[in-house]
PDB file of all heavy atoms in Angstrom:
ATOM      1  N   ALA A  71       3.580 -25.908   1.028  1.00 84.00           N
ATOM      2  CA  ALA A  71       2.884 -26.421   2.205  1.00 84.00           C
ATOM      3  C   ALA A  71       2.418 -25.327   3.138  1.00 84.00           C
ATOM      4  O   ALA A  71       1.498 -25.536   3.920  1.00 84.00           O
ATOM      5  CB  ALA A  71       3.818 -27.372   2.959  1.00 84.00           C
ATOM      6  N   ALA A  72       3.036 -24.145   3.052  1.00 88.00           N
ATOM      7  CA  ALA A  72       2.652 -22.990   3.871  1.00 88.00           C
ATOM      8  C   ALA A  72       2.584 -23.408   5.375  1.00 88.00           C
ATOM      9  O   ALA A  72       1.572 -23.188   6.059  1.00 88.00           O
ATOM     10  CB  ALA A  72       1.337 -22.393   3.405  1.00 88.00           C
ATOM     11  N   GLU A  73       3.681 -24.020   5.850  1.00 88.00           N
ATOM     12  CA  GLU A  73       3.671 -24.589   7.171  1.00 88.00           C
ATOM     13  C   GLU A  73       3.360 -23.626   8.274  1.00 88.00           C
ATOM     14  O   GLU A  73       2.667 -23.950   9.255  1.00 88.00           O
ATOM     15  CB  GLU A  73       5.054 -25.233   7.435  1.00 88.00           C
ATOM     16  CG  GLU A  73       5.383 -26.369   6.503  1.00 88.00           C
ATOM     17  CD  GLU A  73       6.766 -26.908   6.716  1.00 88.00           C
ATOM     18  OE1 GLU A  73       7.456 -26.388   7.656  1.00 88.00           O
ATOM     19  OE2 GLU A  73       7.191 -27.801   5.971  1.00 88.00           O
ATOM     20  N   ARG A  74       3.839 -22.407   8.145  1.00 93.00           N
ATOM     21  CA  ARG A  74       3.625 -21.422   9.263  1.00 93.00           C
ATOM     22  C   ARG A  74       2.205 -20.950   9.366  1.00 93.00           C
ATOM     23  O   ARG A  74       1.790 -20.391  10.397  1.00 93.00           O
ATOM     24  CB  ARG A  74       4.571 -20.246   9.105  1.00 93.00           C
ATOM     25  CG  ARG A  74       6.061 -20.562   9.033  1.00 93.00           C
ATOM     26  CD  ARG A  74       6.512 -21.472  10.162  1.00 93.00           C
ATOM     27  NE  ARG A  74       6.166 -20.947  11.504  1.00 93.00           N
ATOM     28  CZ  ARG A  74       6.343 -21.590  12.618  1.00 93.00           C
ATOM     29  NH1 ARG A  74       6.833 -22.829  12.582  1.00 93.00           N
ATOM     30  NH2 ARG A  74       6.009 -21.056  13.765  1.00 93.00           N
ATOM     31  N   LEU A  75       1.425 -21.129   8.315  1.00 94.00           N
ATOM     32  CA  LEU A  75       0.013 -20.721   8.371  1.00 94.00           C
ATOM     33  C   LEU A  75      -0.819 -21.639   9.228  1.00 94.00           C
ATOM     34  O   LEU A  75      -2.028 -21.373   9.379  1.00 94.00           O
ATOM     35  CB  LEU A  75      -0.552 -20.614   6.933  1.00 94.00           C
ATOM     36  CG  LEU A  75       0.027 -19.487   6.059  1.00 94.00           C
ATOM     37  CD1 LEU A  75      -0.687 -19.432   4.714  1.00 94.00           C
ATOM     38  CD2 LEU A  75      -0.075 -18.129   6.763  1.00 94.00           C
ATOM     39  N   ARG A  76      -0.233 -22.648   9.767  1.00 94.00           N
ATOM     40  CA  ARG A  76      -0.990 -23.477  10.779  1.00 94.00           C
ATOM     41  C   ARG A  76      -1.144 -22.691  12.060  1.00 94.00           C
ATOM     42  O   ARG A  76      -1.931 -23.093  12.914  1.00 94.00           O
ATOM     43  CB  ARG A  76      -0.201 -24.765  11.033  1.00 94.00           C
ATOM     44  CG  ARG A  76      -0.073 -25.701   9.827  1.00 94.00           C
ATOM     45  CD  ARG A  76       0.822 -26.867  10.139  1.00 94.00           C
ATOM     46  NE  ARG A  76       1.033 -27.676   8.945  1.00 94.00           N
ATOM     47  CZ  ARG A  76       1.872 -28.694   8.895  1.00 94.00           C
ATOM     48  NH1 ARG A  76       2.603 -29.017   9.983  1.00 94.00           N
ATOM     49  NH2 ARG A  76       2.043 -29.423   7.793  1.00 94.00           N
ATOM     50  N   HIS A  77      -0.381 -21.620  12.232  1.00 96.00           N
ATOM     51  CA  HIS A  77      -0.422 -20.819  13.461  1.00 96.00           C
ATOM     52  C   HIS A  77      -1.276 -19.575  13.245  1.00 96.00           C
ATOM     53  O   HIS A  77      -1.151 -18.871  12.212  1.00 96.00           O
ATOM     54  CB  HIS A  77       0.994 -20.462  13.866  1.00 96.00           C
ATOM     55  CG  HIS A  77       1.872 -21.649  14.097  1.00 96.00           C
ATOM     56  ND1 HIS A  77       1.935 -22.322  15.280  1.00 96.00           N
ATOM     57  CD2 HIS A  77       2.710 -22.322  13.266  1.00 96.00           C
ATOM     58  CE1 HIS A  77       2.766 -23.330  15.190  1.00 96.00           C
ATOM     59  NE2 HIS A  77       3.250 -23.351  13.952  1.00 96.00           N
ATOM     60  N   ALA A  78      -2.102 -19.261  14.246  1.00 96.00           N
ATOM     61  CA  ALA A  78      -3.059 -18.164  14.127  1.00 96.00           C
ATOM     62  C   ALA A  78      -2.387 -16.815  13.848  1.00 96.00           C
ATOM     63  O   ALA A  78      -2.913 -16.050  13.019  1.00 96.00           O
ATOM     64  CB  ALA A  78      -3.887 -18.082  15.381  1.00 96.00           C
ATOM     65  N   PRO A  79      -1.299 -16.419  14.502  1.00 97.00           N
ATOM     66  CA  PRO A  79      -0.711 -15.091  14.229  1.00 97.00           C
ATOM     67  C   PRO A  79      -0.355 -14.944  12.740  1.00 97.00           C
ATOM     68  O   PRO A  79      -0.575 -13.859  12.174  1.00 97.00           O
ATOM     69  CB  PRO A  79       0.536 -15.058  15.123  1.00 97.00           C
ATOM     70  CG  PRO A  79       0.196 -15.990  16.240  1.00 97.00           C
ATOM     71  CD  PRO A  79      -0.573 -17.114  15.602  1.00 97.00           C
ATOM     72  N   ASN A  80       0.209 -15.967  12.128  1.00 97.00           N
ATOM     73  CA  ASN A  80       0.595 -15.920  10.732  1.00 97.00           C
ATOM     74  C   ASN A  80      -0.628 -15.729   9.854  1.00 97.00           C
ATOM     75  O   ASN A  80      -0.603 -14.969   8.882  1.00 97.00           O
ATOM     76  CB  ASN A  80       1.378 -17.157  10.347  1.00 97.00           C
ATOM     77  CG  ASN A  80       2.620 -17.357  11.132  1.00 97.00           C
ATOM     78  OD1 ASN A  80       2.576 -17.546  12.350  1.00 97.00           O
ATOM     79  ND2 ASN A  80       3.785 -17.301  10.478  1.00 97.00           N
ATOM     80  N   ARG A  81      -1.687 -16.470  10.133  1.00 97.00           N
ATOM     81  CA  ARG A  81      -2.902 -16.378   9.351  1.00 97.00           C
ATOM     82  C   ARG A  81      -3.535 -15.000   9.454  1.00 97.00           C
ATOM     83  O   ARG A  81      -3.973 -14.430   8.447  1.00 97.00           O
ATOM     84  CB  ARG A  81      -3.905 -17.421   9.784  1.00 97.00           C
ATOM     85  CG  ARG A  81      -3.501 -18.879   9.464  1.00 97.00           C
ATOM     86  CD  ARG A  81      -4.687 -19.834   9.543  1.00 97.00           C
ATOM     87  NE  ARG A  81      -5.319 -19.831  10.843  1.00 97.00           N
ATOM     88  CZ  ARG A  81      -4.986 -20.667  11.846  1.00 97.00           C
ATOM     89  NH1 ARG A  81      -3.977 -21.505  11.691  1.00 97.00           N
ATOM     90  NH2 ARG A  81      -5.638 -20.650  12.997  1.00 97.00           N
ATOM     91  N   VAL A  82      -3.556 -14.433  10.652  1.00 98.00           N
ATOM     92  CA  VAL A  82      -4.171 -13.118  10.837  1.00 98.00           C
ATOM     93  C   VAL A  82      -3.381 -12.066  10.106  1.00 98.00           C
ATOM     94  O   VAL A  82      -3.925 -11.192   9.463  1.00 98.00           O
ATOM     95  CB  VAL A  82      -4.307 -12.804  12.354  1.00 98.00           C
ATOM     96  CG1 VAL A  82      -4.759 -11.347  12.546  1.00 98.00           C
ATOM     97  CG2 VAL A  82      -5.238 -13.746  13.035  1.00 98.00           C
ATOM     98  N   LEU A  83      -2.047 -12.104  10.235  1.00 98.00           N
ATOM     99  CA  LEU A  83      -1.234 -11.099   9.597  1.00 98.00           C
ATOM    100  C   LEU A  83      -1.327 -11.165   8.055  1.00 98.00           C
ATOM    101  O   LEU A  83      -1.431 -10.151   7.386  1.00 98.00           O
ATOM    102  CB  LEU A  83       0.273 -11.297  10.020  1.00 98.00           C
ATOM    103  CG  LEU A  83       0.571 -10.893  11.466  1.00 98.00           C
ATOM    104  CD1 LEU A  83       1.905 -11.463  11.877  1.00 98.00           C
ATOM    105  CD2 LEU A  83       0.598  -9.383  11.576  1.00 98.00           C
ATOM    106  N   LEU A  84      -1.326 -12.365   7.525  1.00 98.00           N
ATOM    107  CA  LEU A  84      -1.511 -12.509   6.078  1.00 98.00           C
ATOM    108  C   LEU A  84      -2.891 -12.015   5.665  1.00 98.00           C
ATOM    109  O   LEU A  84      -3.053 -11.384   4.618  1.00 98.00           O
ATOM    110  CB  LEU A  84      -1.310 -13.926   5.631  1.00 98.00           C
ATOM    111  CG  LEU A  84      -1.308 -14.165   4.119  1.00 98.00           C
ATOM    112  CD1 LEU A  84      -0.263 -13.317   3.377  1.00 98.00           C
ATOM    113  CD2 LEU A  84      -1.144 -15.653   3.788  1.00 98.00           C
ATOM    114  N   ALA A  85      -3.896 -12.315   6.487  1.00 98.00           N
ATOM    115  CA  ALA A  85      -5.245 -11.848   6.205  1.00 98.00           C
ATOM    116  C   ALA A  85      -5.323 -10.331   6.174  1.00 98.00           C
ATOM    117  O   ALA A  85      -6.022  -9.730   5.335  1.00 98.00           O
ATOM    118  CB  ALA A  85      -6.261 -12.422   7.219  1.00 98.00           C
ATOM    119  N   MET A  86      -4.578  -9.660   7.080  1.00 98.00           N
ATOM    120  CA  MET A  86      -4.571  -8.199   7.105  1.00 98.00           C
ATOM    121  C   MET A  86      -4.055  -7.683   5.769  1.00 98.00           C
ATOM    122  O   MET A  86      -4.596  -6.715   5.200  1.00 98.00           O
ATOM    123  CB  MET A  86      -3.697  -7.709   8.258  1.00 98.00           C
ATOM    124  CG  MET A  86      -4.268  -7.965   9.623  1.00 98.00           C
ATOM    125  SD  MET A  86      -3.068  -7.856  11.002  1.00 98.00           S
ATOM    126  CE  MET A  86      -2.551  -6.140  10.904  1.00 98.00           C
ATOM    127  N   PHE A  87      -2.990  -8.256   5.285  1.00 98.00           N
ATOM    128  CA  PHE A  87      -2.407  -7.850   4.004  1.00 98.00           C
ATOM    129  C   PHE A  87      -3.418  -8.089   2.868  1.00 98.00           C
ATOM    130  O   PHE A  87      -3.612  -7.233   2.010  1.00 98.00           O
ATOM    131  CB  PHE A  87      -1.121  -8.664   3.761  1.00 98.00           C
ATOM    132  CG  PHE A  87      -0.353  -8.274   2.536  1.00 98.00           C
ATOM    133  CD1 PHE A  87       0.529  -7.189   2.576  1.00 98.00           C
ATOM    134  CD2 PHE A  87      -0.480  -8.980   1.381  1.00 98.00           C
ATOM    135  CE1 PHE A  87       1.252  -6.840   1.463  1.00 98.00           C
ATOM    136  CE2 PHE A  87       0.230  -8.619   0.235  1.00 98.00           C
ATOM    137  CZ  PHE A  87       1.131  -7.546   0.292  1.00 98.00           C
ATOM    138  N   LEU A  88      -4.051  -9.260   2.852  1.00 98.00           N
ATOM    139  CA  LEU A  88      -4.943  -9.636   1.758  1.00 98.00           C
ATOM    140  C   LEU A  88      -6.238  -8.785   1.759  1.00 98.00           C
ATOM    141  O   LEU A  88      -6.745  -8.451   0.693  1.00 98.00           O
ATOM    142  CB  LEU A  88      -5.272 -11.090   1.828  1.00 98.00           C
ATOM    143  CG  LEU A  88      -4.132 -12.072   1.553  1.00 98.00           C
ATOM    144  CD1 LEU A  88      -4.577 -13.516   1.718  1.00 98.00           C
ATOM    145  CD2 LEU A  88      -3.564 -11.861   0.144  1.00 98.00           C
ATOM    146  N   VAL A  89      -6.729  -8.457   2.938  1.00 98.00           N
ATOM    147  CA  VAL A  89      -7.955  -7.680   3.033  1.00 98.00           C
ATOM    148  C   VAL A  89      -7.750  -6.314   2.379  1.00 98.00           C
ATOM    149  O   VAL A  89      -8.611  -5.820   1.622  1.00 98.00           O
ATOM    150  CB  VAL A  89      -8.417  -7.522   4.501  1.00 98.00           C
ATOM    151  CG1 VAL A  89      -9.442  -6.399   4.638  1.00 98.00           C
ATOM    152  CG2 VAL A  89      -9.019  -8.834   5.021  1.00 98.00           C
ATOM    153  N   HIS A  90      -6.614  -5.671   2.692  1.00 98.00           N
ATOM    154  CA  HIS A  90      -6.328  -4.394   2.095  1.00 98.00           C
ATOM    155  C   HIS A  90      -6.316  -4.480   0.573  1.00 98.00           C
ATOM    156  O   HIS A  90      -6.948  -3.657  -0.121  1.00 98.00           O
ATOM    157  CB  HIS A  90      -4.975  -3.834   2.575  1.00 98.00           C
ATOM    158  CG  HIS A  90      -4.527  -2.623   1.816  1.00 98.00           C
ATOM    159  ND1 HIS A  90      -4.823  -1.345   2.233  1.00 98.00           N
ATOM    160  CD2 HIS A  90      -3.815  -2.474   0.664  1.00 98.00           C
ATOM    161  CE1 HIS A  90      -4.332  -0.467   1.394  1.00 98.00           C
ATOM    162  NE2 HIS A  90      -3.699  -1.133   0.439  1.00 98.00           N
ATOM    163  N   TYR A  91      -5.649  -5.505   0.031  1.00 98.00           N
ATOM    164  CA  TYR A  91      -5.482  -5.556  -1.420  1.00 98.00           C
ATOM    165  C   TYR A  91      -6.694  -6.120  -2.110  1.00 98.00           C
ATOM    166  O   TYR A  91      -6.897  -5.860  -3.342  1.00 98.00           O
ATOM    167  CB  TYR A  91      -4.216  -6.307  -1.787  1.00 98.00           C
ATOM    168  CG  TYR A  91      -3.007  -5.377  -1.622  1.00 98.00           C
ATOM    169  CD1 TYR A  91      -2.149  -5.514  -0.567  1.00 98.00           C
ATOM    170  CD2 TYR A  91      -2.788  -4.338  -2.538  1.00 98.00           C
ATOM    171  CE1 TYR A  91      -1.066  -4.640  -0.416  1.00 98.00           C
ATOM    172  CE2 TYR A  91      -1.734  -3.476  -2.363  1.00 98.00           C
ATOM    173  CZ  TYR A  91      -0.882  -3.638  -1.350  1.00 98.00           C
ATOM    174  OH  TYR A  91       0.172  -2.745  -1.153  1.00 98.00           O
ATOM    175  N   ALA A  92      -7.556  -6.839  -1.397  1.00 97.00           N
ATOM    176  CA  ALA A  92      -8.837  -7.219  -1.977  1.00 97.00           C
ATOM    177  C   ALA A  92      -9.669  -5.986  -2.197  1.00 97.00           C
ATOM    178  O   ALA A  92     -10.292  -5.796  -3.261  1.00 97.00           O
ATOM    179  CB  ALA A  92      -9.552  -8.220  -1.076  1.00 97.00           C
ATOM    180  N   GLN A  93      -9.672  -5.084  -1.221  1.00 97.00           N
ATOM    181  CA  GLN A  93     -10.410  -3.825  -1.358  1.00 97.00           C
ATOM    182  C   GLN A  93      -9.764  -2.965  -2.455  1.00 97.00           C
ATOM    183  O   GLN A  93     -10.485  -2.336  -3.264  1.00 97.00           O
ATOM    184  CB  GLN A  93     -10.365  -3.076  -0.021  1.00 97.00           C
ATOM    185  CG  GLN A  93     -11.367  -1.918   0.098  1.00 97.00           C
ATOM    186  CD  GLN A  93     -10.848  -0.615  -0.526  1.00 97.00           C
ATOM    187  OE1 GLN A  93      -9.637  -0.401  -0.623  1.00 97.00           O
ATOM    188  NE2 GLN A  93     -11.771   0.242  -0.938  1.00 97.00           N
TER     189      GLN A  93
END
Side-chain angles (χ1 to χ4, degrees):
E73 297 176 4
R74 303 309 306 172
L75 291 183
R76 297 174 185 173
H77 302 274
N80 300 64
R81 293 197 300 270
V82 173
L83 288 164
L84 185 58
M86 290 162 64
F87 185 83
L88 293 176
V89 164
H90 171 90
Y91 281 104
Q93 194 277 335

